[in-house]
Amino acid sequence: MHKTLLTALLAAGLSTAATAQKSALGAAKPYSAAGRQVQVYTTASGTPQRLAAGSKLTFQQVGQPLETQPTVFVDPTHTFQTLLGIGGALTDASAETFAKLPKALQQEFLQAYFSPSNGIGYTLARTNIASCDFSSGSYTYVQDNDKELKTFSVKHDEQYRIPFIKQAIQAAGGKLPLYVSPWSPPAWMKDNNSLLQGGKLKPEFRQAWANHYVKFIQAYEKLGMPVWGLTVQNEPMAKQKWESCIFTAEEERDFVKNFLGPTLKKGGMGGKKLIGWDHNRDLMFQRASTLFDDPEASQYYWGLGFHWYETWTGSAMQFDNLRRVHETYPEKNLVFTEGCVENFQLAKVQDWTLGERYGNSMINDFNAGTVAWTDWNVLLDETGGPNHVGNFCYAPVIGDTRSGKLIYTNSYYYIGHFSKFIRPGAKRVAVTSSRDVLQATAFLNTDGKVAVVVMNQTEKEQPFQLWIKGQAAQTTSPAHSIMTMVVN
């Protein structure tokens, strides 16, 4: 073939491919910050500022920044994943603590979490299928050896958890997407004959266990709590002293492919979002590749859930593993399904590092492609429980049942810097920082407002400019602070 013709054909092909790619991504809409104002909200250590609104900033034309000018760059014309929601877990422990609070405090609590105007506007929730460590004791929904699940009943949950979830839904405006997770099948379905200490699902009960998920979802929905999605198994590689069950990657894949996936579909629940893994970032790529490289199994999975407890090994949070999963399986959704700070001490509820752990995780998780983020217990008591195995932890809000008071840790405010200002339907946009002390993420909300979250974990304040396409607004990030800058 003539060299000139070959060159022309190649160029045409590349041009067509580029055009198709641009079309698929959507043409970038022009954006100008000129004339816009920025409302800044700040939470800072050593100050009374908690989601505090400050003075408004204005943009000035500045052009090319210098290396000596610390800058957070935002480009709202480049968008990434769409946010589904931010929320927390409505566990037995949270429900029991809530029930012990005076009525006025219950209402304050519900407003604090679920009102977008008077609180931090949670838009997502998780709950446990049967008992977990954050239950007052172990329980199941079926009698022993009832393979047909004829005795199935969620009556246990009607005392505390179901009324609590219903009030949360109401406080959220009548809609609160809920997903559900099992900690263990009934003991008689397992090879160790115990709800606790790991063990595995016996092969002969795989169908009965798959039916159990459907029964639970049907029961909750019949009682007025729509279920948006489910995870296959909480922490499937952890043998815990509490409710737990081991699934290797291959075991989870085959259970979903041959039992759970088809059973959900047959039960009219093929539209429920099925989430795999639901454990730490350390092993998540190996799990993702095993589940998603099998087309028969992959068709049932909507996404992969992850926790932040890989730190128990002494490791830092492994955000790179998250990025590897996202870039390898971009069509699957990443959901942060659980995180909390462990080893509760009432004397340390105002420790500033509690919130900074949340801020660090949320910024990096979102920047790696995460579409939804769920904290663990929304409420615990003054012991960091109730918990039937002594695994006491922190929650963003502590209900002191002795004095009848609510204690708001700074975790509550740090989460609020995201959940209050980045709403469902928001698209993450490009953001970078010219200083590593300024961690940042940014989202374009459906109302056109851009929310930029900037965190500073150092002992020093850091002046910087928020720069959008040649326009910049000057501000300062205080020491040990988190800011949300809303560009109107």
Side-chain angles (χ1 to χ4, degrees):
M1 189 182 285
H2 195 277
K3 191 176 180 182
T4 312
L5 178 60
L6 178 61
T7 306
L9 284 169
L10 280 170
L14 289 169
S15 172
T16 307
T19 306
Q21 187 180 27
K22 192 165 186 178
S23 171
L25 293 170
K29 290 181 181 175
Y31 184 97
S32 173
R36 296 178 188 262
Q37 286 194 313
V38 186
Q39 178 64 66
V40 182
Y41 300 87
T42 306
T43 296
S45 178
T47 77
Q49 290 179 299
R50 301 293 180 270
L51 282 169
S55 55
K56 290 183 177 177
L57 312 177
T58 53
F59 284 99
Q60 308 277 334
Q61 183 145 2
V62 295
Q64 174 65 54
L66 303 174
E67 291 174 296
T68 52
Q69 295 175 295
T71 304
V72 170
F73 298 93
V74 177
D75 188 342
T77 66
H78 293 281
T79 60
F80 305 96
Q81 80 272 21
T82 301
L83 182 82
L84 286 168
I86 297 170
L90 309 176
T91 58
D92 291 313
S94 296
E96 288 171 36
T97 304
F98 178 81
K100 292 175 185 173
L101 297 174
K103 281 278 184 278
L105 273 192
Q106 289 182 347
Q107 290 310 306
E108 180 191 320
F109 169 86
L110 291 168
Q111 285 285 300
Y113 266 120
F114 300 104
S115 167
S117 52
N118 302 324
I120 60 173
Y122 269 13
T123 52
L124 187 64
R126 180 192 191 208
T127 199
N128 44 296
I129 299 176
S131 60
C132 66
D133 46 331
F134 281 91
S135 303
S136 288
S138 298
Y139 63 89
T140 62
Y141 299 130
V142 291
Q143 290 176 12
D144 284 359
N145 304 312
D146 175 15
K147 192 176 177 180
E148 303 300 317
L149 309 182
K150 288 176 181 173
T151 58
F152 187 94
S153 169
V154 294
K155 190 161 184 61
H156 170 278
D157 301 354
E158 290 177 6
Q159 185 178 5
Y160 297 114
R161 185 148 52 107
I162 288 171
F164 178 56
I165 293 172
K166 285 185 170 182
Q167 287 184 72
I169 293 170
Q170 191 178 0
K175 185 186 174 192
L176 185 64
L178 177 71
Y179 67 99
V180 299
S181 305
W183 265 243
S184 175
W188 53 270
M189 288 190 186
K190 295 169 66 183
D191 62 5
N192 68 344
N193 203 36
S194 171
L195 292 171
L196 320 179
Q197 298 290 345
K200 289 190 176 189
L201 178 67
K202 288 181 177 178
E204 62 265 33
F205 293 123
R206 287 178 298 192
Q207 187 57 57
W209 182 229
N211 295 341
H212 190 282
Y213 296 77
V214 173
K215 286 269 193 189
F216 178 81
I217 293 170
Q218 285 173 338
Y220 263 49
E221 293 198 326
K222 192 176 177 183
L223 292 167
M225 296 164 290
V227 172
W228 165 82
L230 66 157
T231 72
V232 180
Q233 168 65 45
N234 178 73
E235 300 187 344
M237 286 310 296
K239 178 186 175 184
Q240 306 282 28
K241 62 182 178 180
W242 54 86
E243 286 79 349
S244 44
C245 184
I246 304 295
F247 281 84
T248 65
E250 293 77 14
E251 286 164 347
E252 182 188 335
R253 175 197 67 199
D254 294 346
F255 174 61
V256 165
K257 176 167 63 174
N258 300 319
F259 297 94
L260 183 55
T263 301
L264 288 168
K265 197 172 179 181
K266 187 180 172 186
M269 296 183 183
K272 304 294 184 197
K273 312 303 187 196
L274 184 62
I275 301 164
W277 186 224
D278 199 7
H279 205 166
N280 301 329
R281 299 184 191 94
D282 50 4
L283 304 180
M284 68 185 296
F285 186 86
Q286 178 257 349
R287 182 69 50 145
S289 61
T290 307
L291 305 182
F292 303 154
D293 286 349
D294 183 311
E296 282 184 74
S298 183
Q299 65 177 319
Y300 296 113
Y301 282 104
W302 174 81
L304 204 75
F306 63 96
H307 301 182
W308 73 18
Y309 309 112
E310 65 267 22
T311 52
W312 77 270
T313 63
S315 169
M317 292 190 195
Q318 295 183 291
F319 303 115
D320 269 349
N321 291 353
L322 200 55
R323 294 184 189 99
R324 291 299 86 76
V325 172
H326 183 55
E327 66 191 14
T328 309
Y329 304 99
E331 74 287 356
K332 298 298 186 186
N333 296 280
L334 291 171
V335 184
F336 182 89
T337 47
E338 186 186 315
C340 73
V341 179
E342 298 157 291
N343 305 314
F344 180 83
Q345 292 178 53
L346 187 60
K348 292 189 174 179
V349 290
Q350 298 305 342
D351 190 321
W352 205 258
T353 61
L354 295 177
E356 289 185 331
R357 181 162 180 171
Y358 279 85
N360 180 51
S361 181
M362 293 179 84
I363 287 170
N364 284 284
D365 291 337
F366 286 132
N367 286 347
T370 297
V371 302
W373 209 96
T374 330
D375 183 31
W376 188 208
N377 304 277
V378 291
L379 177 69
L380 292 172
D381 68 17
E382 67 279 356
T383 70
N387 184 296
H388 71 91
V389 287
N391 178 36
F392 300 117
C393 297
Y394 291 87
V397 181
I398 300 295
D400 190 334
T401 59
R402 303 163 307 177
S403 61
K405 287 182 181 172
L406 290 177
I407 302 166
Y408 294 87
T409 74
N410 72 319
S411 303
Y412 167 83
Y413 299 104
Y414 268 69
I415 296 168
H417 275 273
F418 301 86
S419 60
K420 188 176 178 71
F421 305 107
I422 303 167
R423 306 300 293 165
K427 287 187 179 292
R428 184 171 65 86
V429 300
V431 61
T432 59
S433 170
S434 71
R435 296 292 186 275
D436 64 350
V437 300
L438 299 174
Q439 294 188 62
T441 192
F443 283 78
L444 173 63
N445 282 294
T446 55
D447 62 3
K449 292 179 180 178
V450 176
V452 186
V453 181
V454 176
M455 186 172 83
N456 174 3
Q457 285 183 261
T458 73
E459 301 285 344
K460 293 181 180 178
E461 68 174 27
Q462 177 63 65
F464 72 97
Q465 58 181 351
L466 175 66
W467 189 98
I468 303 178
K469 293 191 171 291
Q471 299 276 331
Q474 304 291 331
T475 187
T476 297
S477 169
H480 289 292
S481 73
I482 188 166
M483 308 161 67
T484 303
M485 294 178 281
V486 180
V487 184
N488 295 308

